[in-house]
């Protein structure tokens, strides 16, 4: 029988190894799997490459993971926001590497990784410093830059509803990078606010089919990052 | 004569006037976000936000903010009837595939040939952050820029060549400043409109690039 | 006001010009916009390039369009099925061109066309006759073939439900190529069994957002291709 | 001794035995389609069909066929609870992205090094039609082939080199014929199982490639 539910966040992240590439869903706090990130902090793998649109805020969730010093490199499009201090400080002091990728190229690279596409061409970033060192090529009289597909060892995602097959539904704009990261990771761990019986999700409405999900953790009342930040909470 | 020309709100309103009925529009952070308040009578625009929503509505009522319903600037928004949610790859299919009609962006500098710099000062201690700006200028059919005509220090923002790192080359179609509306054309910059009480010479004096007065009424 | 509904199939296809590339949704009869195809036959553009997974069956729908002689070239993955005689006869007599593309490469080429991607790499067809003449390239020690994005002037699709913004829902496996074709065509015309008020489609469930759709035609009781074929019907 | 070995149904059942619990499986047209009937006790497989369904169920009851719910062979099927529908590009993300565990295909020829030919005879008057076969062999982790050991005319189907146009090079992992189960290994073809009453020599005589007997029980 296929049952992807797991008992704890610790179980979910227990095999994340030193040097792993970990995709973490979310756009800002929306769709950020904060409890799974905290479990990863407790688990303590080092030398991680983390893929996320941002770098977290305050001293919880992704920012807290970066603060541990276990993140060697961030791949993201927008590493600073109103309440992000952790990454900027580490970056300025040369303690963390940054691969800056336009947001759409980041999304498409992740999708390509999941789709078996090692490289594709895009007009985005042509003629800018972000295309430097990348192969440029003409198609039909226009210039494009080659971007590589991006894969991960693990993906941590947050969703609204799941079943034991790993089918997932998301909530509004908290969907963002989560579904494509599920496709690009070797092992995907999803935290969900609800688990329903098989058939409880209409097959017409499934956003992430279960084939892309390995572990499902029920977390009925996930923390809200901005509230933790406003309360001045730090993790651990 | 008001030497400041249009206010921020008036600049946003002026830009909205140039958006055709039925357009699919993406709004950048800052003054462009205000465009959403000024849909001209009788028109319907559909706003896309690149974090996964087509059909972005007005700001939520206080107390009705939803942390899972935000725009690209991570501010709470609403969704109109007929909206759609989707993931980031699908969102950028819209943007990079040429499906968005108009994008309204802020600017640090715009060059005479329509180069845009709006993501990085290039300062050595800055944390570089690009977001979706390069995707938008590469993929959206028409790029509007809303910007003060000069910096707070009186430096020009419309320049011969950008000195800040580029977001895209030759991408800007129309510039809305506090003083004028200026088109980037193959024959150079053409002033299409002037703020009330602002003269063409006044604008030209504040612009280190030769302008042409070509108002089509 | 945005209202993409149109009054007739003839209105939908009236600007399809000679030499157009037309993507036609469906996999076999499932999701095939048979009434729009018949309107195109009546309209009568010549020299068409048609993109579809198959070549139709019997003498109705896509097969009937091919039979008119107005299709110069088919781009498809599987041009023969149990009841397809029209295409094989024309092909054997040299009267129609065929570009045979593996089904997944066809789907990905269409998606790429809609996504602004002029080319991508895939392992599919490497070492076979279908990669002949295509650029091959190594990535990470494996060989890939370059495939080009595919765009169209028009797409004809069939769906189950729509609204005036052009948001679409499909029915089961009749979804198939329809959503990606909507993204890859300059003008997309959708026939739908139902039109609902704005908000009648949950924004979480939208399959094709309206931005990809230009015209929506209500056709409450579309014909079923296999029934027409069984009845020996020919069109026109 | 039955010189025919396994029947078509028994070949499908024998292949199903080698599919691990929890596998995501795509079934080709023909004998592979029969595998769906033989899920071993205590296992759960999820069947994908490339036209847009994960969680394909058994055949519908007569009279309950739905022309919008079909498999890749365009035959009516059902969807199990927990199924998902998706479009063709998403479907081939599953296939080409390496997410399907096992694909069971038919074959015209399989070579000693695992080359598969199953889409075209190469005859000059044939209408070439490939469908998803090349995507499946390129993208799916493990490729099973079910095929008669010989053609109706007694020609071998397991050959040193394929003479028909290839579907993929070095892609086949395991071959289920009416006579034997044969693995493609780096040291050549290894017989892992024999149909009841069929001897290794009997299989070798009908195979123009050297086989190794290596049954692991």
């Amino acid at each position: 029988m296929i049952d992807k539910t797991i008992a704890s966040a610790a179980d979910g992240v227990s095999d994340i190894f030193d040097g792993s590439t970990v995709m973490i869903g979310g756009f800002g706090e929306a769709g950020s799997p904060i409890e799974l990130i905290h479990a990863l902090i407790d688990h303590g793998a080092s030398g991680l490459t983390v893929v996320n649109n941002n770098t977290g805020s305050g001293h919880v969730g992704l920012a807290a993971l970066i603060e541990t010093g276990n993140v060697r490199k961030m791949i993201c499009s927008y590493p600073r926001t109103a309440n992000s201090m952790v990454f900027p400080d580490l970056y300025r002091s040369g303690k963390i590497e940054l691969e800056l990728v336009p947001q759409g190229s980041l999304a498409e690279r992740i999708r390509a990784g999941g789709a078996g596409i090692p490289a594709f061409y895009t007009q985005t970033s042509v003629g800018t410093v972000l295309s430097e060192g990348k192969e440029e090529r003409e198609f039909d009289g226009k210039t494009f830059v080659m971007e590589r597909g991006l894969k991960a060892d693990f993906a941590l995602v947050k969703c609204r509803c799941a079943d034991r097959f790993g089918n997932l539904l998301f909530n509004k704009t908290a969907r963002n990078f989560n579904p494509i990261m599920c496709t690009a990771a070797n092992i995907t761990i999803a935290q969900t606010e609800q688990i329903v019986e098989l058939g409880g999700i209409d097959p017409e409405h499934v956003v992430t089919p279960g084939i892309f999900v390995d572990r499902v953790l029920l977390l009925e009342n996930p923390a809200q990052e901005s509230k933790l930040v406003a309360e001045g909470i730090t993790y651990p | 004569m008001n030497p400041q020309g249009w206010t921020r709100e008036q600049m946003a309103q002026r830009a909205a006037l140039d958006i055709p009925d039925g357009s699919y529009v993406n709004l950048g952070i800052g003054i462009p976000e205000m465009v959403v308040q000024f849909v001209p009578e009788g028109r319907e625009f559909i706003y896309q936000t690149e974090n996964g929503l087509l059909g972005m509505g007005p700001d939520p009522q206080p107390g009705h903010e939803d942390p899972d319903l935000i725009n690209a600037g991570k501010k709470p928004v609403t969704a109109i009837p007929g909206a759609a949610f989707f993931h980031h790859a699908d969102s950028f299919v819209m943007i990079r595939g040429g499906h968005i009609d108009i994008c309204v962006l802020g600017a640090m500098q715009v060059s005479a040939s329509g180069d845009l710099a709006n993501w990085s000062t290039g300062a050595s201690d800055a944390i570089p952050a690009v977001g979706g700006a390069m995707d938008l200028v590469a993929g959206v059919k028409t790029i509007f820029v809303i910007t003060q005509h000069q910096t707070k220090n009186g430096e020009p923002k419309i320049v011969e060549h950008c000195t800040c790192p580029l977001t895209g080359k030759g991408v800007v179609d129309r510039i809305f400043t506090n003083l004028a509306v200026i088109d980037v054309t193959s024959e150079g910059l053409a002033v299409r409109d002037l703020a009330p009480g602002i003269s063409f010479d006044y604008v030209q004096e504040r612009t280190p690039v030769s302008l042409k007065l070509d108002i089509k009424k």
Side-chain angles (χ1 to χ4, degrees), chain A, chain B:
Chain A
M1 189 175 108
I2 297 169
D3 184 359
K4 298 182 179 177
T5 59
I6 56 172
S8 72
D11 287 352
V13 302
S14 62
D15 53 353
I16 298 186
F17 51 88
D18 293 352
S20 298
T21 295
V22 184
M23 291 182 177
I24 299 181
F27 180 86
E29 69 173 329
S32 177
I34 194 165
E35 284 79 7
L36 288 174
I37 299 170
H38 288 171
L40 176 54
I41 292 172
D42 297 343
H43 171 63
S46 67
L48 301 174
T49 295
V50 171
V51 183
N52 181 276
N53 190 62
N54 307 103
T55 60
S57 65
H59 301 274
V60 294
L62 177 56
L65 176 65
I66 294 170
E67 202 161 22
T68 64
N70 287 326
V71 179
R72 186 183 66 78
K73 178 179 176 181
M74 283 297 309
I75 302 179
C76 63
S77 89
Y78 209 84
R80 57 176 152 81
T81 41
N83 293 303
S84 62
M85 295 80 68
V86 170
F87 177 85
D89 288 351
L90 285 171
Y91 181 73
R92 288 202 183 90
S93 59
K95 289 180 183 153
I96 192 164
E97 197 180 328
L98 170 65
E99 181 178 340
L100 189 71
V101 185
Q103 196 174 142
S105 292
L106 182 62
E108 190 65 28
R109 288 181 62 190
I110 294 166
R111 182 194 175 275
I117 294 170
F120 61 89
Y121 294 90
T122 177
Q123 279 196 280
T124 295
S125 88
V126 168
T128 77
V129 297
L130 293 192
S131 75
E132 283 173 11
K134 292 177 180 170
E135 177 181 318
E136 292 199 344
R137 182 160 172 169
E138 302 265 320
F139 291 98
D140 306 325
K142 290 181 185 157
T143 305
F144 295 82
V145 62
M146 190 176 82
E147 293 280 2
R148 298 294 308 273
L150 196 55
K151 290 185 176 187
D153 300 300
F154 299 91
L156 308 182
V157 303
K158 181 186 177 185
C159 68
R160 165 169 73 83
C161 183
D163 64 24
R164 69 173 170 90
F165 280 180
N167 292 305
L168 308 184
L169 299 177
F170 301 87
N171 189 34
K172 305 187 183 80
T173 56
R175 189 183 302 196
N176 56 63
F177 284 90
N178 285 296
I180 50 176
M181 287 180 170
C182 292
T183 72
N186 192 28
I187 294 176
T188 292
I189 307 117
Q191 67 172 70
T192 180
E193 294 179 38
Q194 188 189 10
I195 293 181
V196 297
E197 290 297 304
L198 288 186
I201 301 176
D202 185 327
E204 299 279 12
H205 301 162
V206 172
V207 174
T208 290
I211 192 169
F212 298 119
V213 177
D214 299 278
R215 299 169 195 163
V216 173
L217 175 68
L218 181 64
L219 253 163
E220 289 178 288
N221 295 299
Q224 191 183 321
E225 185 180 286
S226 55
K227 282 192 183 167
L228 300 183
V229 172
E231 291 165 10
I233 288 172
T234 66
Y235 195 88
Chain B
M1 170 178 164
N2 166 15
Q4 295 308 316
W6 286 308
T7 63
R8 289 158 55 92
E9 285 75 10
Q10 287 169 330
M11 289 159 69
Q13 188 166 17
R14 181 64 190 78
L17 269 183
D18 287 2
I19 302 176
D21 186 29
S23 293
Y24 289 90
V25 182
N26 181 295
L27 300 176
I29 298 171
I31 306 179
E33 283 176 294
M34 296 181 186
V35 171
V36 78
Q37 305 170 31
F38 299 107
V39 179
E41 187 73 25
R43 295 188 213 173
E44 194 168 42
F45 303 155
I46 296 187
Y47 293 105
Q48 196 253 18
T49 178
E50 59 262 37
N51 54 314
L53 168 60
L54 187 71
M56 183 179 74
D59 292 351
Q61 296 295 317
H64 289 77
E65 297 87 355
D66 179 344
D68 282 351
L69 181 50
I70 58 175
N71 69 8
K74 305 194 176 75
K75 297 191 190 73
V77 295
T78 55
I80 65 171
F85 296 111
F86 34 83
H87 63 57
H88 254 79
D90 283 348
S91 180
F92 282 89
V93 167
M94 296 178 189
I95 292 169
R96 293 151 62 109
H99 306 280
I100 308 275
D101 298 305
I102 292 178
C103 180
V104 188
L105 291 168
M108 293 169 181
Q109 295 176 321
V110 183
S111 84
S113 59
D115 296 351
L116 175 67
N118 79 342
W119 71 283
S120 167
T121 60
S124 62
D125 67 336
I127 305 296
V130 66
M134 289 188 183
D135 306 290
L136 287 160
V137 299
V140 174
K141 292 171 199 157
T142 299
I143 302 294
F144 283 1
V145 161
I146 301 184
T147 178
Q148 301 296 336
H149 204 87
Q150 297 170 293
T151 68
K152 285 168 189 161
N153 301 328
E155 298 290 321
K157 300 188 74 166
I158 298 171
V159 294
E160 193 63 51
H161 298 289
C162 297
T163 53
C164 295
L166 293 188
T167 309
K169 284 181 82 74
V171 295
V172 176
D173 295 284
R174 185 166 291 181
I175 311 163
F176 300 85
T177 79
N178 51 316
L179 302 181
V181 178
I182 301 169
D183 271 0
V184 179
T185 79
S186 52
E187 288 87 41
L189 299 181
V191 173
R192 301 300 194 196
D193 198 3
L194 291 162
I198 299 293
S199 71
F200 175 78
D201 289 347
Y202 185 86
V203 177
Q204 181 65 79
E205 283 161 21
R206 281 153 185 79
T207 314
V209 181
S210 173
L211 302 172
K212 188 173 60 174
L213 184 64
D214 185 10
I215 296 176
K216 295 167 178 162
K217 287 283 184 183

